[in-house]
Amino acid sequence: MRHLKYGLMACAAFIGLTSFSPHTFADVRIDRDEYGVPKITADRDDKMWFAFGLAQSRDRLIQLETMRQEAYGILPAVDSAEGEQAAKRNTRNWRRLHLFKGLKVKLGAELAGLGDDGASTRTALDCFAAGIQAFKDVIYPGYVLTEVCNLSPDEIKSLVASQTRDLGEREKSFIRDIFRKQKLPTASEDAHRWKAVDSLALFHLRVMHEFSLRNTEMKNLKLLNDLYLVHPPQAADAFPGTRAGKMFNSLKWSLHRNAKTTIPVADGQRDAAHEKALEYHARLIQRIIPAIVDGAPLELNGCKIYNP
C-alpha cells in the first residue's frame, strides 16, 4: 500500500508540474492554463485529492466510469443490435473476471487493513473518489451535498462551479446520452456512487496491471527491434540506430516537438526541450541495440537477446 500512496502522489504531482498559470493561494483551487491543463493549489492533502478527482472527472468522466466497471468485470451488456460492441464487452468482462476474481472484496479487505498507519492513503482514496462523484452529481443532480474532505457544501459548490462554467446543457446531454447507450450507472443509484475502493480499482487496473504488463514491454521491444532492422544504422548517425529510436519515441511517448501540453510555448524553451528529447533518444538506443553474433541477432530459446 505504500507504493500505492506514492504512485497516487506522483500522479497528483504531475498535474501540478504541467501547468504554467499563475495563481493566488486559496484553501483549494484549480487553475487551468491556456490548453486546459489543471494546476491544483490546496492547504490540505484531503482537499488536494478532492480537487484532483474533480479535475479528472471533468476531463474524462466517461472513461473513468468505464474503467471502473471494467476493473470489476461488470461492464453492462449493450444491445444485441450492436453485435461487435457486445462481443468486445463480453470478452473484456470475461478476461477481467478471470484475472481479478473477487477484486472488489479483496480491495475492500486491503482498505480495511490499512489501520492508523494507512490513514493518509485512505484519505487520498476517499477524497479522490469524492471529487469524481462531485462532477458526476452535476450531470445527474439531486444529491444533497454534505461536508467531505474538510470542504463545506458551499466550498464544494464553489470549486465545482470553477470547473463547470463552460459546461452547457449540450455537453451534459451528450454525457448522459453516452451513459444511456453504454448502460453505465448514474449518480442517482446510491450503490454506484464513487468510493475509496473504486479509486483503488482504477489504480489496480491501469497501473498495477496494464502499465506493468510484461507483454506490453515485450511488444515495445519487438517494435523497436523491427524499426532497427528496417532502419539500420547509417554512417551519418550521431548514434547507431538514431532514426529507429526517434521513430519509436514518436509512436510510444509524448515527445513530439510541438506537443502543446508537454513542450513549453516559447521557441527557446521548445528548442531546448527538443535537444533534451534527442539526448534521451540517444541514451535509449544505446541500451537496447540487439546483440549481434556472426551478423545475426543473438537468440536464446526463441527470444532475441538485447545488450544491457
Side-chain angles (χ1 to χ4, degrees):
M1 295 306 296
R2 182 173 62 181
H3 296 302
L4 166 63
K5 174 183 175 182
Y6 292 155
L8 289 169
M9 291 182 70
C11 292
F14 174 78
I15 284 218
L17 291 172
T18 52
S19 174
F20 302 94
S21 289
H23 64 272
T24 302
F25 182 81
D27 285 351
V28 59
R29 62 181 295 163
I30 305 171
D31 295 303
R32 291 181 182 262
D33 69 10
E34 60 185 304
Y35 302 112
V37 179
K39 179 176 182 178
I40 297 170
T41 305
D43 63 341
R44 296 174 54 96
D45 286 351
D46 47 8
K47 295 179 181 180
M48 182 274 292
W49 285 112
F50 181 93
F52 184 26
L54 173 61
Q56 289 282 298
S57 186
R58 176 64 183 93
D59 292 343
R60 57 188 73 216
L61 174 61
I62 296 171
Q63 181 185 17
L64 290 170
E65 193 62 70
T66 302
M67 285 165 53
R68 173 170 69 154
Q69 303 301 304
E70 181 183 353
Y72 297 141
I74 55 173
L75 277 170
V78 295
D79 295 337
S80 57
E82 303 178 37
E84 184 178 353
Q85 177 73 3
K88 287 182 178 179
R89 284 208 164 190
N90 287 335
T91 299
R92 286 165 72 181
N93 280 337
W94 183 86
R95 287 175 177 172
R96 295 298 176 252
L97 286 170
H98 284 73
L99 279 171
F100 312 139
K101 187 176 181 179
L103 177 64
K104 195 167 188 176
V105 173
K106 292 176 181 177
L107 294 180
E110 286 189 34
L111 287 172
L114 285 175
D116 294 339
D117 291 340
S120 60
T121 298
R122 179 61 191 248
T123 295
L125 296 168
D126 279 328
C127 292
F128 181 71
I132 294 176
Q133 187 63 55
F135 177 70
K136 195 173 178 183
D137 285 337
V138 174
I139 306 300
Y140 294 97
Y143 186 78
V144 178
L145 287 177
T146 58
E147 181 172 331
V148 63
C149 304
N150 278 291
L151 290 167
S152 69
D154 287 340
E155 289 173 319
I156 293 173
K157 287 180 182 178
S158 177
L159 188 61
V160 171
S162 73
Q163 298 303 296
T164 56
R165 291 192 183 99
D166 60 344
L167 180 68
E169 283 303 319
R170 184 176 180 180
E171 185 177 355
K172 290 181 184 179
S173 296
F174 172 79
I175 295 174
R176 293 188 193 114
D177 189 50
I178 295 297
F179 265 69
R180 185 181 70 255
K181 289 180 178 179
Q182 300 296 323
K183 297 185 178 179
L184 298 171
T186 66
S188 60
E189 301 164 354
D190 189 66
H192 293 293
R193 294 184 67 80
W194 280 77
K195 301 177 180 65
V197 68
D198 301 318
S199 302
L200 196 53
L202 292 184
F203 185 85
H204 183 92
L205 174 68
R206 281 293 183 257
V207 179
M208 295 179 69
H209 175 62
E210 293 191 0
F211 289 168
S212 300
L213 276 179
R214 179 182 63 181
N215 287 345
T216 299
E217 298 306 316
M218 294 302 291
K219 288 177 182 177
N220 285 343
L221 285 173
K222 184 180 185 305
L223 170 61
L224 188 55
N225 185 59
D226 290 345
L227 288 171
Y228 179 82
L229 294 175
V230 173
H231 302 284
Q234 303 294 319
D237 288 347
F239 296 92
T242 295
R243 187 180 181 191
K246 290 170 69 175
M247 290 183 68
F248 173 85
N249 280 286
S250 69
L251 292 169
K252 303 299 291 188
W253 310 112
S254 298
L255 291 175
H256 299 288
R257 180 177 175 83
N258 296 311
K260 293 182 177 179
T261 58
T262 57
I263 302 298
V265 177
D267 287 339
Q269 292 176 310
R270 183 183 292 113
D271 291 340
H274 183 58
E275 291 301 316
K276 289 293 183 183
L278 292 178
E279 291 177 16
Y280 171 79
H281 299 155
R283 289 197 301 270
L284 174 68
I285 60 176
Q286 280 184 314
R287 294 175 177 273
I288 48 70
I289 295 175
I292 305 297
V293 177
D294 296 330
L298 180 63
E299 294 191 5
L300 178 64
N301 294 330
C303 298
K304 291 184 174 64
I305 307 300
Y306 292 81
N307 288 326

